[in-house]
Every structure is written in C-alpha cells, then in structure tokens.
C-alpha cells in the first residue's frame, strides 16, 4: 500500500510544475513550449507531471489563474492601505511602472492573441471570462468611489474599466519589447492617470 500524499504536498508539487512551466514559457514562448520541455525543466518524471497537468494549455491557465487571484483578491488590502477608490486605482496603474517587470506579461499577451485565432472556442471563452473578472474588479472600485461621492464619472464604469485594461495591456507589451524600444513609460502612465481623473469627474 502506497503512502498517502498530503494535500499540502500535492499543492507544493503543482506549484513547482507551474513555476517550471512559467520559466519555459518565458524562454520559448507559449506556442513553442511542449510538455517535454516542462518535464525537463521541472526535474520530475513524465508521469509525475502528467498526474497534475495533461497539457501546456492547462498549465498556462493555472498560471494565469494564480495571477488573477492575486490581483482581484488584493482589493480589500489596497483599500486598507490607500483608503480611497482613487488610491486603489492609482496604485494598480503605478504597478506598471515597476522595474523590472515580470516578462510573463508578454507570454500572456501571446496567449491572448493566439487564443482569438483558435479554430475552437474553448480558449476564447476562457479568455473572455478572465477579462470579465478583471474588468469587474475595476468596475467595483469605480462604483464604490461613485457611491461615496469621490467620483462623478462622465463615462460609464464599463467604458472606463475597458479603456484602463486596453491601455495597461499596451503598457505591458511596450515594457517587454526590450531596451531598444524607447518608450517613456512614466509619461504614458501619467497620461493614463490624466484620462482617469477626467473620466471619473475628479477635475
């Protein structure tokens, strides 16, 4: 009879595989990464990896789910730190000015673009659901600020949240194109904040 493996051990092994997959995704890109690549990077047996994931697609989704949980789950902590809805939005925007930025952002961008060209709709459905969740985070912050009289938006929360996502996605792309692409990231971030202050009726 084989020894019983604890849930904590399973979670640890799963996270180790996700970390290995992230390393390979960054090095090779999502589309070119194979299960064999991840098995080699993890140092585990083929069976040990397949026990947790059957494809790189599953690994990529697990990696993005971790990031989304960390992002959407930080709202209460951000309010504790910054107190106002504007403080929360500004902190999220300023996070894109951190150097160095996690290069996985470019891999996620690749996954999104490839996903919308898929013959099947499974990946597209997943990506739309994920986008909906992230947009919901921003809408909640905007609506809370409006209810408390902090904002008097001149556009709908949906439009403002969507625009915020589009611009921050663009920032991630520029930040990962390399030093040869000269972009004033700080200036772009300040421009985004100018838009938000106006759209939210703060000026």
């Amino acid at each position: 009879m084989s020894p019983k493996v604890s849930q904590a051990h399973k979670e640890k092994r799963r996270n180790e595989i996700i970390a290995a997959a992230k390393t390979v995704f960054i090095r090779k890109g999502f589309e070119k990464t194979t299960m064999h690549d991840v098995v080699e990077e993890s140092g585990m047996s083929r069976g040990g990896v397949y026990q947790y994931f059957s494809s790189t697609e599953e690994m990529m989704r697990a990696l993005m789910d971790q990031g989304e949980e960390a992002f959407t789950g930080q709202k209460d902590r951000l309010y504790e730190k910054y107190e106002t809805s504007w403080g929360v939005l500004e902190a999220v925007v300023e996070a894109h000015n951190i150097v160095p930025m996690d290069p996985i952002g470019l891999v996620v961008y690749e996954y999104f673009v490839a996903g919308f060209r898929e013959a099947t709709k499974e990946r597209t459905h997943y990506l739309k659901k994920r986008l909906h969740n992230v947009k919901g985070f921003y809408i909640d912050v905007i609506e809370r600020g409006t209810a408390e009289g902090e904002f008097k938006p001149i556009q709908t929360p949906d439009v403002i949240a969507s625009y915020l996502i589009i611009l921050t996605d663009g920032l991630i792309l520029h930040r990962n194109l390399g030093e040869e692409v000269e972009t004033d990231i700080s200036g772009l971030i300040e421009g985004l904040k100018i838009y938000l202050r106006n759209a939210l009726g703060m000026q």
Side-chain angles (χ1 to χ4, degrees), residues 46-192:
R46 184 174 183 275
V49 172
Y50 273 85
Q51 181 181 354
Y52 294 90
F53 298 100
S54 62
S55 66
T56 55
E57 180 89 18
E58 289 183 3
M59 294 175 181
M60 187 65 191
R61 292 187 186 186
L63 178 60
M64 289 196 298
D65 286 345
Q66 282 185 345
E68 183 182 325
E69 287 172 10
F71 174 70
T72 58
Q74 68 176 332
K75 186 165 57 178
D76 289 340
R77 293 191 296 275
L78 286 171
Y79 269 110
E80 289 176 3
K81 184 174 182 179
Y82 297 102
E83 297 183 354
T84 65
S85 294
W86 172 250
V88 171
L89 290 178
E90 187 175 36
V92 172
V93 170
E94 281 292 345
H96 290 80
N97 206 16
I98 295 174
V99 179
M101 197 163 194
D102 191 344
I104 194 62
L106 193 58
V107 181
V108 172
Y109 188 89
E110 172 198 353
Y111 184 80
F112 263 79
V113 173
F116 282 108
R117 295 176 64 87
E118 286 280 291
T120 63
K121 294 184 178 180
E122 183 182 358
R123 191 191 296 181
T124 301
H125 175 75
Y126 169 78
L127 294 173
K128 286 181 177 179
K129 180 180 178 182
R130 184 173 180 273
L131 180 62
H132 175 78
N133 291 339
V134 174
K135 185 162 69 171
F137 171 92
Y138 289 130
I139 289 175
D140 286 347
V141 175
I142 293 167
E143 290 182 341
R144 176 169 170 173
T146 302
E148 294 179 352
E150 185 181 350
F151 302 147
K152 295 180 181 178
I154 61 174
Q155 291 185 295
T156 66
D158 184 86
V159 167
I160 297 171
S162 296
Y163 199 61
L164 179 53
I165 291 170
I166 290 169
L167 291 181
T168 51
D169 281 351
L171 283 170
I172 291 171
L173 178 61
H174 275 274
R175 288 294 303 275
N176 284 282
L177 288 178
E179 294 181 359
E180 65 277 8
V181 179
E182 294 185 8
T183 304
D184 182 3
I185 298 298
S186 295
L188 292 176
I189 288 175
E190 183 56 35
L192 175 52

